[in-house]
Amino acid sequence: MDSRPPVPPFTHQSATQKVRQAENGWNSRDPHKVSLVYTPDSQWRNRAEFVNGREEIVAFLTRKWNRELDYRLIKELWAFEGNHIAVRFAYECHDDSGNWYRSYGNENWEFDDNGLMRRRIASINDLRIAESERKFHWPLGTRPDDHPGLSDLGL
């Protein structure tokens, strides 16, 4: 059985580590790599779309990152208990016409005993922004440790 430490029950430190690992994975924009942190039968609600299992996760993320260009994400721990973590997040991206967006949201996560996420429930709102309003400035990929987080940016 796959194991993805840290595993539940979460402490503040291990929950914070899990959130940063998720952020780093999503910032890789590698759907196959990201899908491996979810159980094979993982269930998602992302906005109004329902996704089940790793194969559908890969297809969903491939579509997402084909239309959300120059995607950069920051996640922040909101709450945790036992095998549950709640996060808030924001990401910036642009479409193929050069229109920039900042999307804000919350996610509720549930993990199995091996630290794989078995449920992800996401609520997300989009805000069109001017390119000059962007706040997430780092080379594509993992956010540098010295780049401000959501609270530091006033988000």
Side-chain angles (χ1 to χ4, degrees), residues 72-103:
R72 289 171 178 84
L73 165 73
I74 299 177
K75 291 184 182 281
E76 186 173 280
L77 177 65
W78 186 255
F80 67 95
E81 183 176 339
N83 68 335
H84 294 91
I85 295 177
V87 300
R88 66 189 199 93
F89 65 88
Y91 65 86
E92 293 179 348
C93 63
H94 66 87
D95 61 22
D96 59 3
S97 297
N99 299 306
W100 280 91
Y101 296 89
R102 184 177 305 121
S103 299

PDB file of all heavy atoms in Angstrom, residues 72-103:
ATOM      1  N   ARG A  72       0.125  29.588 -10.765  1.00  0.00           N
ATOM      2  CA  ARG A  72       0.895  29.645  -9.522  1.00  0.00           C
ATOM      3  C   ARG A  72      -0.083  29.649  -8.360  1.00  0.00           C
ATOM      4  O   ARG A  72      -1.016  30.445  -8.332  1.00  0.00           O
ATOM      5  CB  ARG A  72       1.767  30.890  -9.478  1.00  0.00           C
ATOM      6  CG  ARG A  72       2.928  30.850 -10.448  1.00  0.00           C
ATOM      7  CD  ARG A  72       3.623  32.223 -10.488  1.00  0.00           C
ATOM      8  NE  ARG A  72       4.764  32.228 -11.364  1.00  0.00           N
ATOM      9  CZ  ARG A  72       4.705  32.413 -12.684  1.00  0.00           C
ATOM     10  NH1 ARG A  72       3.533  32.575 -13.279  1.00  0.00           N
ATOM     11  NH2 ARG A  72       5.795  32.419 -13.409  1.00  0.00           N
ATOM     12  N   LEU A  73       0.164  28.795  -7.366  1.00  0.00           N
ATOM     13  CA  LEU A  73      -0.770  28.531  -6.280  1.00  0.00           C
ATOM     14  C   LEU A  73      -0.101  28.727  -4.925  1.00  0.00           C
ATOM     15  O   LEU A  73       1.062  28.341  -4.746  1.00  0.00           O
ATOM     16  CB  LEU A  73      -1.244  27.077  -6.393  1.00  0.00           C
ATOM     17  CG  LEU A  73      -1.953  26.438  -5.210  1.00  0.00           C
ATOM     18  CD1 LEU A  73      -3.372  26.990  -5.070  1.00  0.00           C
ATOM     19  CD2 LEU A  73      -1.981  24.925  -5.380  1.00  0.00           C
ATOM     20  N   ILE A  74      -0.846  29.290  -3.980  1.00  0.00           N
ATOM     21  CA  ILE A  74      -0.425  29.334  -2.578  1.00  0.00           C
ATOM     22  C   ILE A  74      -1.560  28.753  -1.743  1.00  0.00           C
ATOM     23  O   ILE A  74      -2.717  29.154  -1.892  1.00  0.00           O
ATOM     24  CB  ILE A  74      -0.109  30.768  -2.103  1.00  0.00           C
ATOM     25  CG1 ILE A  74       1.036  31.375  -2.921  1.00  0.00           C
ATOM     26  CG2 ILE A  74       0.242  30.758  -0.610  1.00  0.00           C
ATOM     27  CD1 ILE A  74       1.351  32.827  -2.560  1.00  0.00           C
ATOM     28  N   LYS A  75      -1.228  27.805  -0.864  1.00  0.00           N
ATOM     29  CA  LYS A  75      -2.187  27.211   0.070  1.00  0.00           C
ATOM     30  C   LYS A  75      -1.766  27.590   1.485  1.00  0.00           C
ATOM     31  O   LYS A  75      -0.578  27.770   1.760  1.00  0.00           O
ATOM     32  CB  LYS A  75      -2.208  25.682  -0.046  1.00  0.00           C
ATOM     33  CG  LYS A  75      -2.803  25.162  -1.341  1.00  0.00           C
ATOM     34  CD  LYS A  75      -2.861  23.635  -1.327  1.00  0.00           C
ATOM     35  CE  LYS A  75      -3.400  23.070  -2.618  1.00  0.00           C
ATOM     36  NZ  LYS A  75      -4.842  23.153  -2.716  1.00  0.00           N
ATOM     37  N   GLU A  76      -2.757  27.662   2.372  1.00  0.00           N
ATOM     38  CA  GLU A  76      -2.482  27.972   3.772  1.00  0.00           C
ATOM     39  C   GLU A  76      -3.392  27.126   4.652  1.00  0.00           C
ATOM     40  O   GLU A  76      -4.597  27.010   4.385  1.00  0.00           O
ATOM     41  CB  GLU A  76      -2.744  29.463   4.011  1.00  0.00           C
ATOM     42  CG  GLU A  76      -2.359  29.957   5.374  1.00  0.00           C
ATOM     43  CD  GLU A  76      -2.495  31.469   5.461  1.00  0.00           C
ATOM     44  OE1 GLU A  76      -1.579  32.175   4.984  1.00  0.00           O
ATOM     45  OE2 GLU A  76      -3.526  31.939   5.997  1.00  0.00           O
ATOM     46  N   LEU A  77      -2.816  26.558   5.698  1.00  0.00           N
ATOM     47  CA  LEU A  77      -3.589  25.769   6.654  1.00  0.00           C
ATOM     48  C   LEU A  77      -4.635  26.643   7.321  1.00  0.00           C
ATOM     49  O   LEU A  77      -4.348  27.767   7.743  1.00  0.00           O
ATOM     50  CB  LEU A  77      -2.653  25.180   7.718  1.00  0.00           C
ATOM     51  CG  LEU A  77      -3.315  24.377   8.835  1.00  0.00           C
ATOM     52  CD1 LEU A  77      -3.967  23.106   8.286  1.00  0.00           C
ATOM     53  CD2 LEU A  77      -2.291  24.038   9.913  1.00  0.00           C
ATOM     54  N   TRP A  78      -5.858  26.129   7.393  1.00  0.00           N
ATOM     55  CA  TRP A  78      -6.947  26.837   8.076  1.00  0.00           C
ATOM     56  C   TRP A  78      -7.286  26.125   9.384  1.00  0.00           C
ATOM     57  O   TRP A  78      -7.388  26.753  10.423  1.00  0.00           O
ATOM     58  CB  TRP A  78      -8.165  26.937   7.160  1.00  0.00           C
ATOM     59  CG  TRP A  78      -9.257  27.769   7.725  1.00  0.00           C
ATOM     60  CD1 TRP A  78     -10.438  27.327   8.258  1.00  0.00           C
ATOM     61  CD2 TRP A  78      -9.286  29.191   7.834  1.00  0.00           C
ATOM     62  NE1 TRP A  78     -11.196  28.391   8.682  1.00  0.00           N
ATOM     63  CE2 TRP A  78     -10.505  29.552   8.424  1.00  0.00           C
ATOM     64  CE3 TRP A  78      -8.381  30.195   7.472  1.00  0.00           C
ATOM     65  CZ2 TRP A  78     -10.861  30.858   8.688  1.00  0.00           C
ATOM     66  CZ3 TRP A  78      -8.730  31.506   7.720  1.00  0.00           C
ATOM     67  CH2 TRP A  78      -9.950  31.826   8.322  1.00  0.00           C
ATOM     68  N   ALA A  79      -7.472  24.802   9.329  1.00  0.00           N
ATOM     69  CA  ALA A  79      -7.816  24.026  10.517  1.00  0.00           C
ATOM     70  C   ALA A  79      -7.477  22.560  10.260  1.00  0.00           C
ATOM     71  O   ALA A  79      -7.311  22.143   9.115  1.00  0.00           O
ATOM     72  CB  ALA A  79      -9.306  24.169  10.825  1.00  0.00           C
ATOM     73  N   PHE A  80      -7.376  21.783  11.353  1.00  0.00           N
ATOM     74  CA  PHE A  80      -7.111  20.356  11.218  1.00  0.00           C
ATOM     75  C   PHE A  80      -7.634  19.638  12.457  1.00  0.00           C
ATOM     76  O   PHE A  80      -7.754  20.229  13.527  1.00  0.00           O
ATOM     77  CB  PHE A  80      -5.608  20.082  11.049  1.00  0.00           C
ATOM     78  CG  PHE A  80      -4.812  20.413  12.277  1.00  0.00           C
ATOM     79  CD1 PHE A  80      -4.515  19.422  13.209  1.00  0.00           C
ATOM     80  CD2 PHE A  80      -4.393  21.708  12.534  1.00  0.00           C
ATOM     81  CE1 PHE A  80      -3.806  19.731  14.360  1.00  0.00           C
ATOM     82  CE2 PHE A  80      -3.684  22.022  13.676  1.00  0.00           C
ATOM     83  CZ  PHE A  80      -3.384  21.032  14.596  1.00  0.00           C
ATOM     84  N   GLU A  81      -7.966  18.376  12.276  1.00  0.00           N
ATOM     85  CA  GLU A  81      -8.327  17.503  13.386  1.00  0.00           C
ATOM     86  C   GLU A  81      -8.299  16.072  12.887  1.00  0.00           C
ATOM     87  O   GLU A  81      -8.890  15.756  11.844  1.00  0.00           O
ATOM     88  CB  GLU A  81      -9.716  17.827  13.931  1.00  0.00           C
ATOM     89  CG  GLU A  81     -10.082  16.976  15.139  1.00  0.00           C
ATOM     90  CD  GLU A  81     -11.412  17.345  15.763  1.00  0.00           C
ATOM     91  OE1 GLU A  81     -11.891  18.463  15.562  1.00  0.00           O
ATOM     92  OE2 GLU A  81     -11.969  16.467  16.448  1.00  0.00           O
ATOM     93  N   GLY A  82      -7.617  15.220  13.603  1.00  0.00           N
ATOM     94  CA  GLY A  82      -7.571  13.805  13.246  1.00  0.00           C
ATOM     95  C   GLY A  82      -7.043  13.595  11.842  1.00  0.00           C
ATOM     96  O   GLY A  82      -5.894  13.885  11.547  1.00  0.00           O
ATOM     97  N   ASN A  83      -7.925  13.097  10.949  1.00  0.00           N
ATOM     98  CA  ASN A  83      -7.515  12.834   9.561  1.00  0.00           C
ATOM     99  C   ASN A  83      -8.100  13.865   8.590  1.00  0.00           C
ATOM    100  O   ASN A  83      -8.194  13.613   7.397  1.00  0.00           O
ATOM    101  CB  ASN A  83      -7.925  11.418   9.141  1.00  0.00           C
ATOM    102  CG  ASN A  83      -9.430  11.239   9.017  1.00  0.00           C
ATOM    103  OD1 ASN A  83     -10.208  11.958   9.641  1.00  0.00           O
ATOM    104  ND2 ASN A  83      -9.837  10.275   8.209  1.00  0.00           N
ATOM    105  N   HIS A  84      -8.491  15.033   9.104  1.00  0.00           N
ATOM    106  CA  HIS A  84      -9.072  16.102   8.283  1.00  0.00           C
ATOM    107  C   HIS A  84      -8.199  17.351   8.329  1.00  0.00           C
ATOM    108  O   HIS A  84      -7.666  17.698   9.384  1.00  0.00           O
ATOM    109  CB  HIS A  84     -10.472  16.466   8.775  1.00  0.00           C
ATOM    110  CG  HIS A  84     -11.452  15.366   8.589  1.00  0.00           C
ATOM    111  ND1 HIS A  84     -11.696  14.411   9.552  1.00  0.00           N
ATOM    112  CD2 HIS A  84     -12.245  15.048   7.538  1.00  0.00           C
ATOM    113  CE1 HIS A  84     -12.598  13.560   9.108  1.00  0.00           C
ATOM    114  NE2 HIS A  84     -12.948  13.916   7.883  1.00  0.00           N
ATOM    115  N   ILE A  85      -8.091  17.999   7.178  1.00  0.00           N
ATOM    116  CA  ILE A  85      -7.396  19.285   7.064  1.00  0.00           C
ATOM    117  C   ILE A  85      -8.269  20.206   6.223  1.00  0.00           C
ATOM    118  O   ILE A  85      -8.828  19.787   5.205  1.00  0.00           O
ATOM    119  CB  ILE A  85      -6.004  19.132   6.402  1.00  0.00           C
ATOM    120  CG1 ILE A  85      -5.073  18.298   7.278  1.00  0.00           C
ATOM    121  CG2 ILE A  85      -5.384  20.507   6.113  1.00  0.00           C
ATOM    122  CD1 ILE A  85      -3.702  18.032   6.656  1.00  0.00           C
ATOM    123  N   ALA A  86      -8.379  21.457   6.650  1.00  0.00           N
ATOM    124  CA  ALA A  86      -9.052  22.491   5.860  1.00  0.00           C
ATOM    125  C   ALA A  86      -8.006  23.530   5.470  1.00  0.00           C
ATOM    126  O   ALA A  86      -7.169  23.914   6.287  1.00  0.00           O
ATOM    127  CB  ALA A  86     -10.176  23.145   6.665  1.00  0.00           C
ATOM    128  N   VAL A  87      -8.040  23.937   4.216  1.00  0.00           N
ATOM    129  CA  VAL A  87      -7.093  24.939   3.722  1.00  0.00           C
ATOM    130  C   VAL A  87      -7.845  26.049   3.008  1.00  0.00           C
ATOM    131  O   VAL A  87      -8.981  25.878   2.563  1.00  0.00           O
ATOM    132  CB  VAL A  87      -6.051  24.343   2.738  1.00  0.00           C
ATOM    133  CG1 VAL A  87      -5.233  23.259   3.399  1.00  0.00           C
ATOM    134  CG2 VAL A  87      -6.686  23.817   1.477  1.00  0.00           C
ATOM    135  N   ARG A  88      -7.197  27.189   2.932  1.00  0.00           N
ATOM    136  CA  ARG A  88      -7.644  28.249   2.037  1.00  0.00           C
ATOM    137  C   ARG A  88      -6.520  28.435   1.039  1.00  0.00           C
ATOM    138  O   ARG A  88      -5.358  28.119   1.320  1.00  0.00           O
ATOM    139  CB  ARG A  88      -8.001  29.522   2.787  1.00  0.00           C
ATOM    140  CG  ARG A  88      -6.871  30.211   3.461  1.00  0.00           C
ATOM    141  CD  ARG A  88      -7.375  31.351   4.351  1.00  0.00           C
ATOM    142  NE  ARG A  88      -6.300  32.280   4.650  1.00  0.00           N
ATOM    143  CZ  ARG A  88      -6.024  33.381   3.966  1.00  0.00           C
ATOM    144  NH1 ARG A  88      -6.757  33.717   2.924  1.00  0.00           N
ATOM    145  NH2 ARG A  88      -5.021  34.149   4.311  1.00  0.00           N
ATOM    146  N   PHE A  89      -6.868  28.905  -0.138  1.00  0.00           N
ATOM    147  CA  PHE A  89      -5.852  29.020  -1.179  1.00  0.00           C
ATOM    148  C   PHE A  89      -6.210  30.145  -2.134  1.00  0.00           C
ATOM    149  O   PHE A  89      -7.343  30.632  -2.172  1.00  0.00           O
ATOM    150  CB  PHE A  89      -5.696  27.697  -1.953  1.00  0.00           C
ATOM    151  CG  PHE A  89      -6.915  27.311  -2.744  1.00  0.00           C
ATOM    152  CD1 PHE A  89      -7.100  27.748  -4.047  1.00  0.00           C
ATOM    153  CD2 PHE A  89      -7.892  26.507  -2.181  1.00  0.00           C
ATOM    154  CE1 PHE A  89      -8.228  27.404  -4.775  1.00  0.00           C
ATOM    155  CE2 PHE A  89      -9.021  26.145  -2.893  1.00  0.00           C
ATOM    156  CZ  PHE A  89      -9.194  26.599  -4.188  1.00  0.00           C
ATOM    157  N   ALA A  90      -5.219  30.530  -2.898  1.00  0.00           N
ATOM    158  CA  ALA A  90      -5.425  31.434  -4.032  1.00  0.00           C
ATOM    159  C   ALA A  90      -4.427  31.020  -5.101  1.00  0.00           C
ATOM    160  O   ALA A  90      -3.322  30.559  -4.803  1.00  0.00           O
ATOM    161  CB  ALA A  90      -5.209  32.885  -3.627  1.00  0.00           C
ATOM    162  N   TYR A  91      -4.858  31.148  -6.351  1.00  0.00           N
ATOM    163  CA  TYR A  91      -3.924  30.922  -7.444  1.00  0.00           C
ATOM    164  C   TYR A  91      -4.144  31.977  -8.513  1.00  0.00           C
ATOM    165  O   TYR A  91      -5.212  32.574  -8.603  1.00  0.00           O
ATOM    166  CB  TYR A  91      -3.997  29.504  -8.016  1.00  0.00           C
ATOM    167  CG  TYR A  91      -5.277  29.091  -8.692  1.00  0.00           C
ATOM    168  CD1 TYR A  91      -5.510  29.370 -10.046  1.00  0.00           C
ATOM    169  CD2 TYR A  91      -6.245  28.375  -8.011  1.00  0.00           C
ATOM    170  CE1 TYR A  91      -6.672  28.958 -10.679  1.00  0.00           C
ATOM    171  CE2 TYR A  91      -7.405  27.953  -8.634  1.00  0.00           C
ATOM    172  CZ  TYR A  91      -7.621  28.250  -9.964  1.00  0.00           C
ATOM    173  OH  TYR A  91      -8.772  27.834 -10.590  1.00  0.00           O
ATOM    174  N   GLU A  92      -3.086  32.227  -9.271  1.00  0.00           N
ATOM    175  CA  GLU A  92      -3.140  33.168 -10.391  1.00  0.00           C
ATOM    176  C   GLU A  92      -2.770  32.423 -11.655  1.00  0.00           C
ATOM    177  O   GLU A  92      -1.913  31.533 -11.648  1.00  0.00           O
ATOM    178  CB  GLU A  92      -2.179  34.331 -10.168  1.00  0.00           C
ATOM    179  CG  GLU A  92      -2.582  35.217  -9.006  1.00  0.00           C
ATOM    180  CD  GLU A  92      -1.632  36.377  -8.743  1.00  0.00           C
ATOM    181  OE1 GLU A  92      -0.510  36.404  -9.307  1.00  0.00           O
ATOM    182  OE2 GLU A  92      -2.029  37.255  -7.966  1.00  0.00           O
ATOM    183  N   CYS A  93      -3.434  32.814 -12.738  1.00  0.00           N
ATOM    184  CA  CYS A  93      -3.171  32.219 -14.042  1.00  0.00           C
ATOM    185  C   CYS A  93      -3.771  33.140 -15.095  1.00  0.00           C
ATOM    186  O   CYS A  93      -4.465  34.103 -14.770  1.00  0.00           O
ATOM    187  CB  CYS A  93      -3.778  30.821 -14.156  1.00  0.00           C
ATOM    188  SG  CYS A  93      -5.577  30.807 -14.018  1.00  0.00           S
ATOM    189  N   HIS A  94      -3.485  32.835 -16.350  1.00  0.00           N
ATOM    190  CA  HIS A  94      -4.124  33.568 -17.438  1.00  0.00           C
ATOM    191  C   HIS A  94      -4.644  32.588 -18.468  1.00  0.00           C
ATOM    192  O   HIS A  94      -4.214  31.432 -18.535  1.00  0.00           O
ATOM    193  CB  HIS A  94      -3.174  34.608 -18.064  1.00  0.00           C
ATOM    194  CG  HIS A  94      -1.994  34.015 -18.777  1.00  0.00           C
ATOM    195  ND1 HIS A  94      -2.038  33.622 -20.096  1.00  0.00           N
ATOM    196  CD2 HIS A  94      -0.740  33.748 -18.351  1.00  0.00           C
ATOM    197  CE1 HIS A  94      -0.859  33.142 -20.451  1.00  0.00           C
ATOM    198  NE2 HIS A  94      -0.049  33.201 -19.412  1.00  0.00           N
ATOM    199  N   ASP A  95      -5.595  33.065 -19.270  1.00  0.00           N
ATOM    200  CA  ASP A  95      -6.130  32.225 -20.333  1.00  0.00           C
ATOM    201  C   ASP A  95      -5.323  32.454 -21.611  1.00  0.00           C
ATOM    202  O   ASP A  95      -4.371  33.240 -21.629  1.00  0.00           O
ATOM    203  CB  ASP A  95      -7.634  32.473 -20.535  1.00  0.00           C
ATOM    204  CG  ASP A  95      -7.972  33.899 -20.928  1.00  0.00           C
ATOM    205  OD1 ASP A  95      -7.097  34.635 -21.451  1.00  0.00           O
ATOM    206  OD2 ASP A  95      -9.138  34.289 -20.729  1.00  0.00           O
ATOM    207  N   ASP A  96      -5.712  31.789 -22.691  1.00  0.00           N
ATOM    208  CA  ASP A  96      -4.951  31.889 -23.942  1.00  0.00           C
ATOM    209  C   ASP A  96      -5.129  33.228 -24.643  1.00  0.00           C
ATOM    210  O   ASP A  96      -4.447  33.507 -25.626  1.00  0.00           O
ATOM    211  CB  ASP A  96      -5.263  30.729 -24.881  1.00  0.00           C
ATOM    212  CG  ASP A  96      -6.726  30.632 -25.266  1.00  0.00           C
ATOM    213  OD1 ASP A  96      -7.534  31.492 -24.861  1.00  0.00           O
ATOM    214  OD2 ASP A  96      -7.061  29.680 -25.981  1.00  0.00           O
ATOM    215  N   SER A  97      -6.013  34.082 -24.104  1.00  0.00           N
ATOM    216  CA  SER A  97      -6.157  35.449 -24.629  1.00  0.00           C
ATOM    217  C   SER A  97      -5.378  36.464 -23.804  1.00  0.00           C
ATOM    218  O   SER A  97      -5.443  37.661 -24.078  1.00  0.00           O
ATOM    219  CB  SER A  97      -7.637  35.853 -24.655  1.00  0.00           C
ATOM    220  OG  SER A  97      -8.353  35.015 -25.528  1.00  0.00           O
ATOM    221  N   GLY A  98      -4.678  35.999 -22.768  1.00  0.00           N
ATOM    222  CA  GLY A  98      -3.884  36.895 -21.938  1.00  0.00           C
ATOM    223  C   GLY A  98      -4.642  37.540 -20.794  1.00  0.00           C
ATOM    224  O   GLY A  98      -4.114  38.430 -20.133  1.00  0.00           O
ATOM    225  N   ASN A  99      -5.872  37.095 -20.530  1.00  0.00           N
ATOM    226  CA  ASN A  99      -6.654  37.625 -19.406  1.00  0.00           C
ATOM    227  C   ASN A  99      -6.203  36.943 -18.123  1.00  0.00           C
ATOM    228  O   ASN A  99      -6.213  35.712 -18.035  1.00  0.00           O
ATOM    229  CB  ASN A  99      -8.149  37.367 -19.616  1.00  0.00           C
ATOM    230  CG  ASN A  99      -8.663  38.045 -20.860  1.00  0.00           C
ATOM    231  OD1 ASN A  99      -8.512  39.242 -21.050  1.00  0.00           O
ATOM    232  ND2 ASN A  99      -9.271  37.253 -21.742  1.00  0.00           N
ATOM    233  N   TRP A 100      -5.817  37.738 -17.123  1.00  0.00           N
ATOM    234  CA  TRP A 100      -5.337  37.210 -15.847  1.00  0.00           C
ATOM    235  C   TRP A 100      -6.485  37.067 -14.861  1.00  0.00           C
ATOM    236  O   TRP A 100      -7.423  37.866 -14.846  1.00  0.00           O
ATOM    237  CB  TRP A 100      -4.266  38.133 -15.259  1.00  0.00           C
ATOM    238  CG  TRP A 100      -2.937  37.903 -15.906  1.00  0.00           C
ATOM    239  CD1 TRP A 100      -2.437  38.554 -17.001  1.00  0.00           C
ATOM    240  CD2 TRP A 100      -1.968  36.941 -15.532  1.00  0.00           C
ATOM    241  NE1 TRP A 100      -1.207  38.037 -17.322  1.00  0.00           N
ATOM    242  CE2 TRP A 100      -0.882  37.050 -16.430  1.00  0.00           C
ATOM    243  CE3 TRP A 100      -1.895  35.989 -14.516  1.00  0.00           C
ATOM    244  CZ2 TRP A 100       0.252  36.253 -16.341  1.00  0.00           C
ATOM    245  CZ3 TRP A 100      -0.768  35.192 -14.426  1.00  0.00           C
ATOM    246  CH2 TRP A 100       0.294  35.324 -15.336  1.00  0.00           C
ATOM    247  N   TYR A 101      -6.355  36.066 -13.995  1.00  0.00           N
ATOM    248  CA  TYR A 101      -7.349  35.774 -12.964  1.00  0.00           C
ATOM    249  C   TYR A 101      -6.638  35.421 -11.666  1.00  0.00           C
ATOM    250  O   TYR A 101      -5.552  34.838 -11.682  1.00  0.00           O
ATOM    251  CB  TYR A 101      -8.228  34.579 -13.365  1.00  0.00           C
ATOM    252  CG  TYR A 101      -9.040  34.857 -14.592  1.00  0.00           C
ATOM    253  CD1 TYR A 101      -8.529  34.589 -15.857  1.00  0.00           C
ATOM    254  CD2 TYR A 101     -10.312  35.414 -14.497  1.00  0.00           C
ATOM    255  CE1 TYR A 101      -9.259  34.859 -16.995  1.00  0.00           C
ATOM    256  CE2 TYR A 101     -11.050  35.691 -15.639  1.00  0.00           C
ATOM    257  CZ  TYR A 101     -10.517  35.414 -16.882  1.00  0.00           C
ATOM    258  OH  TYR A 101     -11.240  35.691 -18.013  1.00  0.00           O
ATOM    259  N   ARG A 102      -7.291  35.779 -10.568  1.00  0.00           N
ATOM    260  CA  ARG A 102      -6.911  35.241  -9.267  1.00  0.00           C
ATOM    261  C   ARG A 102      -8.133  34.485  -8.763  1.00  0.00           C
ATOM    262  O   ARG A 102      -9.231  35.029  -8.705  1.00  0.00           O
ATOM    263  CB  ARG A 102      -6.511  36.326  -8.276  1.00  0.00           C
ATOM    264  CG  ARG A 102      -6.012  35.735  -6.945  1.00  0.00           C
ATOM    265  CD  ARG A 102      -5.524  36.779  -5.941  1.00  0.00           C
ATOM    266  NE  ARG A 102      -4.486  37.613  -6.528  1.00  0.00           N
ATOM    267  CZ  ARG A 102      -4.593  38.945  -6.637  1.00  0.00           C
ATOM    268  NH1 ARG A 102      -5.660  39.589  -6.206  1.00  0.00           N
ATOM    269  NH2 ARG A 102      -3.616  39.635  -7.189  1.00  0.00           N
ATOM    270  N   SER A 103      -7.928  33.254  -8.414  1.00  0.00           N
ATOM    271  CA  SER A 103      -9.007  32.407  -7.915  1.00  0.00           C
ATOM    272  C   SER A 103      -8.771  32.149  -6.435  1.00  0.00           C
ATOM    273  O   SER A 103      -7.650  31.822  -6.021  1.00  0.00           O
ATOM    274  CB  SER A 103      -9.044  31.090  -8.683  1.00  0.00           C
ATOM    275  OG  SER A 103      -9.295  31.342 -10.057  1.00  0.00           O
TER     276      SER A 103
END
